[in-house]
Amino acid sequence: ARVAQLRVLVADATALPFQSESYDLATASFVLSHVRDYLRALAEALRILKPSGLLAVSSRAPPSDPYSSAWNECLAEAISKPEAERAMAEVAPWEGHFSQEGHLESALSQAGFSVVCGDAVKVESAFTVEQFLEDRELSSGGRLGFYLLGAQGWARFCAAARDTFHARFGSSFPYHRRAFIVIGRKS
């Protein structure tokens, strides 16, 4: 509503509804780990980019913070660790792969891009317990937990998780996680 010329489109990343060589720049922010056939998605990005067009991609490094660990513990107690792992594998099959340094660069090279630059950056935030848990509710594990536990069971789970987090971490905490950012150029 605030940007009159904005056109929002939902599409399959492996079959983009755009003409070949139409764009100067494409981005995939924290997306590739969710696409089963990521090489096909990269081929589509290559197809829609003009000669010398750029593709910027990003992925998160593995979490190494106590807050993510606490969330995973709470969720595993509620729905079981195998179910939580299954949910992650279903929604983000390449999460582990692209959370490793150098794997985005390799994927872009394999897809025919020339890697222009790549970097690891530290993304920092400050969360209240409520904000952190609201964010986790949107994750694959959170959505599966809601589905398996039902609305009332999920509400009880959230209340227990909130109590656990407040007891361990207080009402708010600093959060950081590394992210990999890579830019490739269409050769």
Side-chain angles (χ1 to χ4, degrees):
R2 290 182 291 176
V3 182
Q5 293 83 15
L6 180 65
R7 180 175 164 218
V8 178
L9 179 68
V10 177
D12 181 342
T14 64
L16 296 172
F18 305 121
Q19 292 182 358
S20 297
E21 299 187 350
S22 301
Y23 295 93
D24 296 310
L25 173 68
T27 64
S29 297
F30 309 106
V31 166
L32 287 182
S33 61
H34 297 275
V35 181
R36 288 206 183 285
D37 190 352
Y38 70 83
L39 284 174
R40 191 166 156 206
L42 290 173
E44 276 294 280
L46 191 67
R47 179 187 67 77
I48 67 160
L49 285 171
K50 294 177 182 175
S52 297
L54 297 174
L55 173 65
V57 296
S58 59
S59 185
R60 291 175 182 83
S64 59
D65 59 273
Y67 322 111
S68 296
S69 296
W71 166 258
N72 291 335
E73 291 168 18
C74 290
L75 192 61
E77 287 177 26
I79 67 170
S80 86
K81 186 175 180 175
E83 281 296 308
E85 289 172 351
R86 183 181 68 79
M88 180 55 111
E90 184 66 30
V91 174
W94 294 102
E95 185 78 18
H97 179 74
F98 286 121
S99 70
Q100 303 303 311
E101 197 157 0
H103 286 203
L104 284 175
E105 289 92 339
S106 294
L108 264 62
S109 294
Q110 189 176 358
F113 288 91
S114 299
V115 174
V116 174
C117 65
D119 201 0
V121 297
K122 186 176 178 181
V123 180
E124 298 181 275
S125 306
F127 282 113
T128 65
V129 165
E130 287 72 20
Q131 289 170 327
F132 185 81
L133 294 177
E134 285 173 9
D135 179 67
R136 296 297 152 216
E137 286 183 52
L138 299 174
S139 71
S140 57
R143 292 192 311 261
L144 177 66
F146 181 86
Y147 173 78
L148 293 175
L149 299 173
Q152 290 179 337
W154 184 251
R156 285 190 299 275
F157 165 79
C158 289
R162 197 169 7 271
D163 291 345
T164 298
F165 269 72
H166 278 287
R168 286 192 194 176
F169 309 117
S171 61
S172 63
F173 47 84
Y175 180 82
H176 68 274
R177 188 165 175 185
R178 288 177 60 225
F180 303 116
I181 301 171
V182 178
I183 299 173
R185 181 180 308 280
K186 181 174 181 175
S187 301

